[in-house]
């Protein structure tokens, strides 16, 4: 029987194969050198040290029948190789061979399968390190191989993970050789096939994904796969993966010829050049040779035009000791977020400076998208409510394999709505649903104001709606599009933040739709629609708030909860289109069998705004026809928001409450307050949403008038039709 953990791991790797498999490309080593802009440096390295690599080829093993044997190389062949590959007298093949022979004899001979390949690669790298330790001091400065240490993890997982990576390469200045300090991963397989199986690809993809998840400085992840005598380099970027065949590392026969020796010499040339590259050229955006956790300093460069002005471009340094401007980054203060195997990601950390709490966000976004920092600039200029305060921001990397890396230092905006509601459990589900209703209003007001300013969020998820105190903030504007011909000064924004304005303002249908978390994505986008509007963002807010309330039920209902079940995007769209057609039971389909009157009214109102046109329900058409266009009805949305604000302000005046309660969650006790009393429960309901007609010509008024506030222990209301059916069945029985 397969262990449960192994079964979970196998399933995860199958998913990675499915998700990443079609986004690969076969590349040459020269292509990688060009991408890294190191072609000239490589040529100089290759010319200067080719004697070492020829000597390594003479020490290579023969891998016959998956067993290591000692090759037989006649002296005549040795003479030819030495003559052709010797660079100069002080870099002769003979001198390096003598150095290697003094080092140690190989332990590989007689070993079999993957074990011999791991032992062999370790011996060759250790020999190379030994050889260059014995180079003159000026040569050692040129070649940085000795800064690495190696780990054989075939029999036990790498510290800090569950992965048994065959061989790992770490910087030797790291305090610990844990998974999050790995620089390059090496996996060995005994078969020599040129085709990589799905199982092997899933395994190395799993390793790469884990490194993306735990290392916040990554630009790409290099994984070396030894398959038989072949050596392949995989480069996992945010956009795609590349496979580069580096060549043979062992002979296939006991008596190799000159070409085989040259081939192995070139393979080690390529492999070891990767190890002399600085971290900034080999997969990181800053120097991590000494540490990956510590005090990060983000230093703005000077503007190329105005030397007295800071540029948006930023250099990053990591030190051990804190300074006035440094920000501590460590795995212990990381905010847990899903790191997808491909596409945009963000690492987020809680940090403190001068007694104030902040969030540091490191974001990887396609260069074809707007920088999130630019979006916050536009939001601030338009005075949009309910957005976070940005302390500082900048671009670390303009373009690495089609992605930029930027950083943002943001005020601490609290926690996601679902977590905030959990801190209010003592108030009961009815009062929690009041809070959720107010949060829904604030979120919609924010995205409505942004839409009027020509800014569309496009990626509202559970993590995007956060609460601190009694204020909601909408964060994560990384997928934003600017409305074409809108009020934003796109030219000035593009000049400052170094992006192509055509990508920021292009027609929504000109690019493939971006689906964030499917459970919060609008029905049209789930079925493939590319034309978006504020209605899609409002629909996402509706799902986020209902989902947050659903998770507060002590024993959430299971039967009939098809609204929150996900198998694929199109099936989820069809289920939701059906659920939302039943005005009496759609909340139960989403796991909320009962809620307060104000939550019921507000969700009904926004449901009607989204899915009722000219008195007809259009959810079925939206879920089956990707080209069916839903009208925006912006004036209807404006009337809904205005009536909500008028009602809240009216009640605030009647209770002598502050006039700014239109954006407050209500007088809800703080999460650190003592247990609720009768007085606090009564006070908590001070924010009353209107139950009169929303002025939108919908059916919400009729339903709201007959609704009654539900108690925590009350079952969901049943329609008269259902009750009559039950009565009929009883009589018949």
């Amino acid at each position: 029987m397969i262990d449960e953990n192994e079964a979970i791991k196998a399933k995860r790797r199958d998913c990675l194969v499915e998700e990443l498999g079609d986004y690969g490309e076969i590349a040459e080593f020269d292509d990688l050198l060009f991408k890294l802009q190191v072609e000239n440096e490589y040529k100089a390295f290759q010319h200067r040290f080719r004697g070492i690599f020829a000597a390594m080829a003479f020490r290579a093993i023969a891998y016959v029948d998956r067993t290591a044997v000692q090759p037989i190389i006649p002296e005549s062949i040795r003479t030819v190789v030495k003559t052709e590959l010797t660079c100069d007298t002080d870099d002769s093949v003979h001198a390096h061979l003598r150095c290697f022979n003094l080092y140690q004899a190989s332990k590989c001979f007689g070993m079999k399968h993957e074990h011999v390949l791991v032992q062999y690669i370790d011996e060759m790298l250790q020999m190379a390190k030994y050889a260059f330790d014995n180079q003159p001091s000026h040569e050692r400065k040129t070649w940085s191989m000795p800064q690495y240490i190696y780990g054989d993890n075939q029999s036990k997982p790498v510290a800090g993970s569950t992965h048994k990576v065959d061989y790992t390469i770490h910087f030797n200045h790291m305090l610990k050789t844990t998974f999050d300090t790995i620089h390059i991963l090496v996996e060995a397989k005994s078969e020599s096939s040129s085709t990589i199986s799905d199982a092997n690809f899933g395994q190395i993809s799993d390793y790469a994904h884990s490194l993306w998840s735990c290392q916040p400085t990554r630009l790409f992840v290099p994984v070396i796969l030894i398959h038989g005598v072949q050596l392949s380099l995989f480069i996992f970027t945010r956009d795609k993966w590349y496979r580069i065949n580096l060549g043979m590392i062992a002979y296939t026969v006991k008596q190799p010829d000159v070409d085989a020796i040259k081939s192995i010499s070139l393979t080690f040339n390529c492999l070891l050049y990767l190890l002399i590259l600085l971290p900034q050229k080999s997969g990181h955006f800053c120097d991590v040779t000494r540490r990956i956790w510590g005090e990060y300093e983000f230093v703005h460069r000077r503007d190329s035009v105005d030397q007295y002005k800071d540029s948006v471009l930023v250099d990053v340094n990591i030190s051990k000791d804190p300074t006035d401007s440094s920000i501590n980054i460590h795995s212990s203060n990381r905010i847990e977020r899903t790191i997808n195997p491909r596409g945009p990601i963000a690492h987020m950390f809680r940090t403190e400076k001068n007694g104030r709490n902040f969030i540091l966000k490191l974001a990887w976004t396609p260069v074809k998208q707007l920088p999130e920092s630019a979006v916050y600039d536009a939001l601030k200029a338009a005075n949009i409510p309910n957005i976070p305060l940005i302390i500082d921001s900048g671009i670390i990397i303009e373009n690495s394999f089609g992605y930029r890396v930027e950083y943002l230092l943001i005020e601490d905006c609290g926690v996601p709505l679902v977590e905030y509601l959990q801190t209010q459990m003592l108030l009961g589900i009815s009062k929690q649903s009041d809070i959720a209703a107010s949060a829904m209003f604030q979120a919609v007001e924010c995205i409505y104001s942004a839409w009027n300013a020509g800014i569309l969020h496009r990626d509202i998820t559970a993590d995007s709606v956060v609460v601190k105190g009694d204020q909601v903030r909408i964060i994560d504007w990384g997928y934003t599009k600017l409305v074409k011909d809108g009020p934003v000064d796109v030219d000035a924004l593009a000049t400052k933040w170094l992006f192509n304005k055509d990508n920021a303002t292009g027609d929504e249908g000109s690019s493939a739709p971006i689906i964030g978390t499917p459970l919060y994505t609008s029905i049209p986008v789930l079925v493939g629609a590319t034309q978006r509007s504020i209605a899609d963002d409002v629909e996402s807010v509706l799902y986020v708030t209902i989902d947050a309330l659903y998770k507060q039920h002590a024993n959430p209902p299971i039967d009939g909860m098809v609204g929150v079940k996900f198998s694929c995007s199109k099936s989820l769209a069809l289920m939701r289109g059906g659920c939302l057609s039943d005005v009496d039971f759609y909340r139960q389909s989403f796991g909320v069998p009962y809620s307060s009157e104000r939550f019921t009214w507000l969700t009904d109102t926004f449901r009607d705004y989204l899915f009722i046109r000219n008195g007809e329900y259009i959810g079925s058409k939206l879920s089956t026809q990707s080209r069916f266009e839903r009208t925006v009805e912006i004036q209807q949305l404006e009337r809904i928001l205005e009536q909500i604000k008028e009602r809240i302000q009216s009640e605030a005046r009647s209770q002598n409450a502050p006039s700014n309660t239109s954006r407050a969650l209500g007088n809800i006790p703080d999460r650190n307050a003592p247990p609720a009393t009768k007085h606090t429960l009564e006070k908590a309901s001070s924010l009353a949403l209107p139950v009169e007609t929303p002025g939108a010509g919908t059916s919400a008024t009729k339903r709201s008038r007959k609704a009654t506030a539900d108690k925590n222990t009350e079952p969901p209301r049943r329609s008269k039709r259902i009750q009559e059916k039950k009565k009929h069945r009883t009589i018949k029985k």
Side-chain angles (χ1 to χ4, degrees), residues 429-430 593-597 600 708-715 717:
I429 197 67
S430 181
Y594 43 90
S595 58
S596 68
E597 183 179 2
T600 299
T708 58
D710 300 317
K711 304 296 182 183
N712 295 347
T713 57
E714 284 183 343
R717 290 186 299 110

Side-chain angles (χ1 to χ4, degrees), residues 648-659:
I648 295 173
Q649 290 170 352
S650 174
E651 294 195 356
R653 287 192 296 270
S654 67
Q655 299 173 9
N656 295 321
S659 60

Side-chain angles (χ1 to χ4, degrees), residues 487-498:
V488 176
D489 188 347
V490 182
D491 290 329
L493 207 62
T495 300
K496 177 180 178 180
W497 289 101
L498 310 174

Side-chain angles (χ1 to χ4, degrees), residues 13-25:
R13 291 175 177 178
D14 289 342
C15 292
L16 286 170
V17 171
E18 184 177 350
E19 186 164 352
L20 299 177
D22 294 335
Y23 296 97
E25 182 179 315

